[in-house]
Amino acid sequence: MAKKKIVALNEILTLPQIKRVMDDSNAEMIDRTKYALPRCGVFSHAYTVLEETDEYRFELDPEAAKQLPSIINNKVQLIKGLDSAEADAAERYGKLRNIGIVFSGGPAPGGHNVIAGLYDAAKQANPQTRVFGFLVGPDGIIESEAVELTDQLVDRYRNLGGFTMIKTGRTKIDTSEKMELSRETCRRLQLDALVVVGGDDSNTNAAFLAQELRKDGVQIIGVPKTIDGDIQVRDADGKVLCAMSFGFHTAARAFAGSISNLCTDSSSDIKYWHICKVMGRVASHLALEVALQTHANMTLIGEDLADYVDQDRLQKAMEANSTDYHAYGMTLRHLSRMICDSIVRRAAVGKNYGVIVIPEGVLEFINEIQVFILKLNTIIADYNHTHDRDFHSAFSRLEEKLEYLRRLAQRSRDDSSFKLWNSRDDDLFNDIPAFFQEGLLMERDSHGNFPFSQVETEKVLLGLVQDYLNILKEQGRYKIGISRDYFTKTLKKAELDPDLFGPVLFKNYGDGEFLMVKPNIISIKTLNQALQNSELIASSDSAVPAPVEKIFKKSMPSFKTQIHFYGYDGRGNDPTRFDCIYTYNLGLTVFSLIANGATGQMAAIKNLEKDFAKWEPIGIPIAPLMHLEERKSKLALVIEKSIVDVNSIAFRVFKAHSEKWLAAVPGDDHYRRPGPIRFTGSSEEERPITLELNAAGTIEE
Ligand code: FBP
């Protein structure tokens, strides 16, 4: 045998092959950063101009008109390419500028490419132009913390995920002090323009900044970012201007990749139900796309649940000539029963396993929880308005918070005009598990949003599902169906006659591929009794034949779950090619809007649902998208979130397939493998399936 020489660690670390595998970067990452992205047609010209169009109509909110007078009449702007320009126009276009950019809210894959697109276009127009990245979100603007972007810095992050280059934060510029500090920062850096890359709340903030900083000559441009996919812009006639925010496709594909692997594992090991909560604070767009990507057995869509009408209750009320308002909307109890029904149906065909997708914000659509969230939002906000210390510092422990609520309930008993929190609310609240009480009382973010990602939504639901399944098991209604072939083989092997035992054991021995043990046989004792009654065994002391006992045990289900949360992982994924190209072109659009003097506009790409050649960069006016909504117990102007439209083609296609994907019939499941996110190659999908389906529903005239 050849002698082996022991190599010292120091020496190993200098070996080229070891250095290569231990390097921070790898070939895929290097390919990504070097990949040159295609530009929309208009950006192949030396200049761009804006063309206002009246083709789109918005219903203006009077409050938005009052608070945002300078930008409320902005129009949709189309971007057109020009090969040459008059001298003064060319000079205006290419003048030296200082531009700031900030990320606001949760990370979304593609953000770095917005910066890269803006940087490339700005430097192409004038190499002396300076682009500053504000650090750690809007705090960077308030505290004047910025870094000047360089070729080296931008190149390092091209086509890579995260907001790592300049980080992000959730601070809102919502007071006159913060606005003043922001103004000072803009002055200090002599900014011509500030770009806010964010969600609905951040773009709302961008509109107020545009209004305020207009007199300082600072243009503000927003960019629609959020993995939640809830910034989608249509005009008052339903014409689509922005079909999807960036980051959605990547996050959905990343979640779908992992969930598809669970489908494979679950249908191999056949012992677990995998419960997959996916991000999406309010809207269920991500859950819907994941369902379309994976064909998981069950996917809850919050917006669908909110639309639920209990027909039985409605019928009973009609018969009694009364109205039952509880028939409208979904309750937690009812939802858990619907889930149990599907679990029981799958078990009946031998599938005591599967995958359920639950959107993070599902509880927002459940009646009783929605009421709690609204009431607690108001209680917390009222407390913060009237006290020096905020609610969460004043009552740090759950018991203290509950005590405060108890005092409010007492107040409602003493003073009938106080209706915010009564004894019934208090009793119902005390009935829910402590971890969920804690969740519902959690600190809201700076925009007043409820932190769904930190609440174990799925646990609340699963507790109820588990309880009800136990009841169904005791009633003999939750059983695993036994394959007829397996039963016959097992008994014959032990020289027992299947036709003697079958009719005693099963309620459907006469027909069906899967045999269901009779509901009254729920234990060895009841099995023994049934065999005795049919004189298949002599007395209660006689043992149940081993193969029969084996079959019975196989029919008794246990509901075993594995819980997963998909959110931060997908948010940090490197972007899909769709998101890479989309965001780079958004960055180019931002510069065109700036170079042509726009402010209070959101950069967008129209026709995302079509081939790249048809993509049209545009500017969407932000102020006309705003309306009044309750935030922190006050009415505030915000951009309306776009939730799943239950009349959309994508949703209807999902609904039409949900019974097939549940696969509560003999035979295979119908899982789809979306595969990993690829950056190049012909198999990488072009756009989200949701967009593909919705586009198929509109015929080009
Ligand atoms: P944005 O709307 O800011 O893009 O964030 C969306 C989101 O990813 C949600 O899906 C999730 O509920 C939330 O952020 C989580 O927030 P946090 O990062 O504060 O935990």
Side-chain angles (χ1 to χ4, degrees):
M1 211 167 77
K3 266 194 174 174
K4 284 193 176 163
K5 179 188 156 209
I6 298 188
V7 188
L9 182 62
N10 279 352
E11 211 178 307
I12 292 176
L13 295 177
T14 59
L15 296 173
Q17 70 270 32
I18 299 298
K19 276 182 143 179
R20 184 175 53 80
V21 293
M22 295 310 295
D23 200 281
D24 284 349
S25 62
N26 59 32
E28 157 86 13
M29 190 180 144
I30 294 165
D31 281 355
R32 270 188 174 267
T33 53
K34 297 224 152 54
Y35 186 83
L37 293 158
R39 293 171 171 223
C40 291
V42 289
F43 299 126
S44 59
H45 301 271
Y47 305 96
T48 55
V49 285
L50 304 181
E51 206 178 274
E52 286 193 344
T53 170
D54 283 322
E55 199 192 324
Y56 303 95
R57 200 173 58 80
F58 298 97
E59 272 157 19
L60 304 183
D61 188 299
E63 191 57 28
K66 196 168 135 203
Q67 292 190 34
L68 301 162
S70 315
I71 54 169
I72 192 71
N73 293 317
N74 279 11
K75 299 262 181 324
V76 170
Q77 295 163 324
L78 309 179
I79 297 178
K80 302 282 168 190
L82 275 187
D83 288 325
S84 59
E86 301 282 328
D88 56 339
E91 199 187 318
R92 267 200 315 275
Y93 193 85
K95 80 168 192 164
L96 189 159
R97 293 183 169 86
N98 291 328
I99 302 171
I101 185 162
V102 67
F103 289 137
S104 177
H112 288 138
N113 277 16
V114 176
I115 294 186
L118 166 65
Y119 183 86
D120 289 354
K123 291 285 183 183
Q124 188 183 329
N126 185 333
Q128 307 307 317
T129 281
R130 301 172 76 189
V131 183
F132 298 93
F134 285 105
L135 299 175
V136 201
D139 275 339
I141 309 177
I142 298 166
E143 295 169 14
S144 198
E145 289 290 331
V147 57
E148 182 169 353
L149 306 185
T150 58
D151 289 356
Q152 213 191 14
L153 189 59
V154 174
D155 289 350
R156 231 174 91 192
Y157 290 100
R158 285 179 195 269
N159 300 314
L160 295 186
F163 284 176
T164 326
M165 189 201 294
I166 53 172
K167 330 290 179 211
T168 185
R170 288 198 184 272
T171 300
K172 187 175 178 187
I173 303 176
D174 55 354
T175 62
S176 46
E177 292 80 37
K178 288 186 205 167
M179 191 59 86
E180 236 4 82
L181 289 168
S182 305
R183 193 192 307 279
E184 270 169 36
T185 299
C186 293
R187 276 190 196 139
R188 194 182 66 77
L189 291 173
Q190 299 181 358
L191 286 194
D192 296 281
L194 172 61
V195 183
V196 180
V197 182
D200 50 338
D201 289 325
S202 310
N203 275 285
T204 293
N205 220 195
F208 283 100
L209 281 166
Q211 174 66 38
E212 276 295 317
L213 299 183
R214 193 180 176 94
K215 45 186 173 293
D216 299 67
V218 183
Q219 298 163 249
I220 309 288
I221 303 295
V223 182
K225 166 240 68 157
T226 174
I227 61 160
D228 290 3
D230 55 16
I231 309 190
Q232 299 175 11
V233 184
R234 285 177 179 72
D235 79 344
D237 301 315
K239 290 185 202 151
V240 181
L241 286 157
C242 169
M244 190 52 75
S245 51
F246 81 77
F248 169 81
H249 185 228
T250 310
R253 286 279 281 105
F255 300 160
S258 304
I259 291 173
S260 152
N261 294 345
L262 291 178
C263 293
T264 308
D265 189 79
S266 164
S267 54
S268 309
D269 202 19
I270 63 166
K271 68 171 185 254
Y272 290 125
W273 270 96
H274 288 275
I275 315 298
C276 307
K277 179 168 88 166
V278 301
M279 263 190 187
R281 194 191 345 243
V282 176
S284 305
H285 297 293
L286 281 166
L288 177 59
E289 178 71 18
V290 165
L292 296 166
Q293 293 272 352
T294 63
H295 304 179
N297 303 108
M298 245 185 276
T299 300
L300 307 181
I301 300 294
E303 293 80 342
D304 183 32
L305 303 179
D307 264 12
Y308 177 79
V309 179
D310 188 335
Q311 296 297 346
D312 288 349
R313 277 190 97 133
L314 213 58
Q315 184 63 32
K316 271 189 204 146
M318 264 165 63
E319 281 162 17
N321 214 4
S322 67
T323 320
D324 183 351
Y325 292 107
H326 295 290
Y328 298 96
M330 181 66 73
T331 62
L332 262 183
R333 191 162 162 270
H334 196 86
L335 177 58
S336 63
R337 296 201 164 186
M338 276 172 46
I339 297 174
C340 289
D341 180 57
S342 298
I343 293 170
V344 167
R345 286 178 53 211
R346 271 178 68 84
V349 291
K351 300 174 187 169
N352 192 35
Y353 65 85
V355 175
I356 305 182
V357 178
I358 300 182
E360 177 186 65
V362 72
L363 296 185
E364 174 101 8
F365 295 94
I366 304 290
N367 273 349
E368 69 259 44
I369 305 298
Q370 206 175 32
V371 171
F372 274 142
I373 292 175
L374 285 175
K375 286 195 170 203
L376 293 171
N377 277 354
T378 311
I379 289 170
I380 294 170
D382 282 357
Y383 187 95
N384 294 348
H385 283 151
T386 46
H387 294 78
D388 289 341
R389 289 173 76 197
D390 74 87
F391 183 82
H392 295 279
S393 352
F395 311 110
S396 55
R397 291 185 311 113
L398 175 63
E399 199 33 59
E400 292 166 350
K401 292 182 178 116
L402 294 179
E403 177 52 36
Y404 180 71
L405 292 178
R406 233 167 275 143
R407 291 208 299 271
L408 291 185
Q410 179 59 45
R411 187 172 147 199
S412 82
R413 284 194 289 274
D414 299 341
D415 168 7
S416 59
S417 68
F418 180 76
K419 295 197 164 59
L420 190 53
W421 193 257
N422 57 34
S423 305
R424 191 178 135 73
D425 293 324
D426 210 48
D427 290 346
L428 285 176
F429 197 69
N430 280 312
D431 264 356
I432 60 181
F435 79 87
F436 191 35
Q437 287 176 331
E438 208 136 16
L440 288 169
L441 283 162
M442 217 171 268
E443 198 161 354
R444 276 54 176 161
D445 75 6
S446 60
H447 302 276
N449 294 317
F450 181 76
F452 274 108
S453 59
Q454 290 168 57
V455 181
E456 292 171 301
T457 318
E458 65 293 345
K459 263 202 189 168
V460 181
L461 210 50
L462 275 185
L464 292 168
V465 166
Q466 185 75 68
D467 289 350
Y468 192 54
L469 283 178
N470 286 342
I471 295 175
L472 293 175
K473 206 168 150 182
E474 272 168 33
Q475 293 174 347
R477 289 158 66 195
Y478 174 30
K479 301 220 179 218
I480 303 179
I482 303 292
S483 138
R484 178 182 294 277
D485 284 353
Y486 180 76
F487 169 70
T488 311
K489 253 189 256 163
T490 310
L491 264 72
K492 281 191 174 162
K493 217 166 144 191
E495 296 183 352
L496 295 174
D497 183 357
D499 290 340
L500 269 185
F501 285 87
V504 176
L505 209 51
F506 303 113
K507 63 175 186 187
N508 61 335
Y509 190 65
D511 69 330
E513 195 179 325
F514 282 86
L515 301 172
M516 298 304 292
V517 169
K518 287 182 178 164
N520 60 326
I521 304 178
I522 52 168
S523 60
I524 297 290
K525 200 170 155 198
T526 47
L527 171 63
N528 186 298
Q529 190 65 53
L531 295 178
Q532 224 191 109
N533 292 348
S534 315
E535 297 176 359
L536 287 170
I537 57 172
S539 70
S540 59
D541 295 338
S542 316
V544 171
V548 177
E549 184 172 333
K550 183 174 157 189
I551 293 288
F552 166 73
K553 283 191 174 155
K554 270 194 179 292
S555 78
M556 289 302 281
S558 64
F559 178 61
K560 287 202 223 153
T561 55
Q562 294 290 345
I563 296 181
H564 314 264
F565 176 32
Y566 295 106
Y568 301 100
D569 48 349
R571 236 170 52 167
N573 213 101
D574 285 333
T576 56
R577 193 169 58 207
F578 170 84
D579 271 329
C580 284
I581 302 176
Y582 176 20
T583 46
Y584 185 69
N585 281 283
L586 276 176
L588 300 174
T589 307
V590 167
F591 181 75
S592 280
L593 292 171
I594 293 172
N596 287 290
T599 189
Q601 299 290 88
M602 184 159 77
I605 310 276
K606 204 162 89 71
N607 295 341
L608 281 177
E609 63 282 8
K610 298 186 185 155
D611 287 345
F612 176 68
K614 292 190 174 155
W615 286 17
E616 274 181 39
I618 55 171
I620 302 175
I622 306 176
L625 310 180
M626 296 177 58
H627 76 156
L628 283 174
E629 230 177 64
E630 192 179 316
R631 289 291 172 98
K632 297 183 178 177
S633 90
K634 276 199 209 145
L635 283 177
L637 270 182
V638 287
I639 297 178
E640 192 173 3
K641 265 191 204 314
S642 161
I643 58 174
V644 171
D645 175 4
V646 290
N647 295 313
S648 65
I649 301 286
F651 178 77
R652 282 159 52 203
V653 168
F654 155 76
K655 223 25 194 184
H657 283 82
S658 47
E659 188 56 28
K660 177 176 172 191
W661 297 342
L662 178 64
V665 286
D668 288 338
D669 286 295
H670 296 279
Y671 301 135
R672 174 180 185 269
R673 297 173 188 235
I677 291 176
R678 287 173 216 89
F679 181 58
T680 51
S682 57
S683 57
E684 176 60 0
E685 70 181 29
E686 303 218 313
R687 59 186 65 84
I689 299 180
T690 312
L691 291 199
E692 201 91 55
L693 291 173
N694 285 340
T698 32
I699 296 156
E700 203 129 324
E701 286 171 24

